[in-house]
Amino acid sequence: MSGQNPLKKLMNNIPVPQQKLKEVLRVEGLNKVFDRSSHRIQALREVDLTLYEGEMVAIMGTSGSGKSTLLNMLSAIDAPTSGKMFVFGEHANIHQEPQATIYRRDHIGFVFQSFELLEDLDVMDNIAMPLILKGLTHYEIELRVEEALDQVGMKKWRKHLPTELSGGQQQRVAIARALVAKPSILLADEPTGSLDFNTTNDILNLLVQLNKDLQQTMVIVTHDAYVASYADRVLFFHDGQIIDVYTNEKDENDLDKILEKFKYVARGER
Ligand SMILES: Nc1ncnc2c1ncn2[C@@H]1O[C@H](COP(=O)(O)OP(=O)(O)OP(=O)(O)O)[C@@H](O)[C@H]1O
Ligand SMILES: [Mg+2]
């Protein structure tokens, strides 16, 4: 079609991993405007994005480019100003209550940079929280929490309080909590942002392992090109838009290619 928005054309041409074509979540024309008395910011501009089952997507972009805002829309923590969302191909009105709460409960696991564990609860109770909210039986909760503890290698620490754990251990617990209810999508906003290099590696390896073992669809916002090099696709954000995409070839050149692209993206170039 002549006159097609070049950005849309780019998005339509994004290569997606073969054999992973089952659509989990799709957004079309997502806009988010923060209208404050002193200023007006358009944090998202006409974002189109499809997430496929089992893929790991990394999002990189300069500070303030809209990455967290997008995750907040995808998780229905906040509502877009306009745009459509489709869950497993069905148009879904997830940004109003009670649908938003139900959608979050059934489809979303969220991991934050600062872990956000409940300080007064031990590891088991923190992980159990989404299942309690789901109304599962005591027996089911115990089974699922044990399984999640095992998946993140934290069985030995089940009775510890968050304050008795290292940052990496706390993030393992937060990942277990995000996955325990078997969400359709795990969203992680800079999950390694508070961790040192070795711990970043541990958490990254854990996420990659969970992505493989559970076929867990994941979206990871990161400032770290090394983290992004483990994803299937890397989306580059600038000024509220996805302005570039890189499909990792899973070889030793990925890191350099991501860094190279990011250099242009940081300047707003494609
Ligand atoms: N609740 C809010 N009220 C007003 N403006 C907001 C709000 N949340 C985000 N913004 C603005 O929207 C834009 C995008 O913010 P966002 O937090 O999504 O960026 P980001 O890409 O996650 O940045 P960072 O890498 O620093 O975390 C910024 O200009 C920010 O100031
Ligand atoms: Mg952010």
Side-chain angles (χ1 to χ4, degrees), residues 34 36 39 41 43 61-70 190 223:
F34 291 107
R36 301 287 180 254
H39 60 278
I41 289 169
T62 43
S63 185
S65 59
K67 306 177 298 294
S68 296
T69 303
L70 176 67
E190 301 188 43
H223 284 284

Side-chain angles (χ1 to χ4, degrees), residues 23 54 64 66 75 81 83 138 184:
E23 179 182 317
S75 58
T81 308
H138 188 70
S184 309

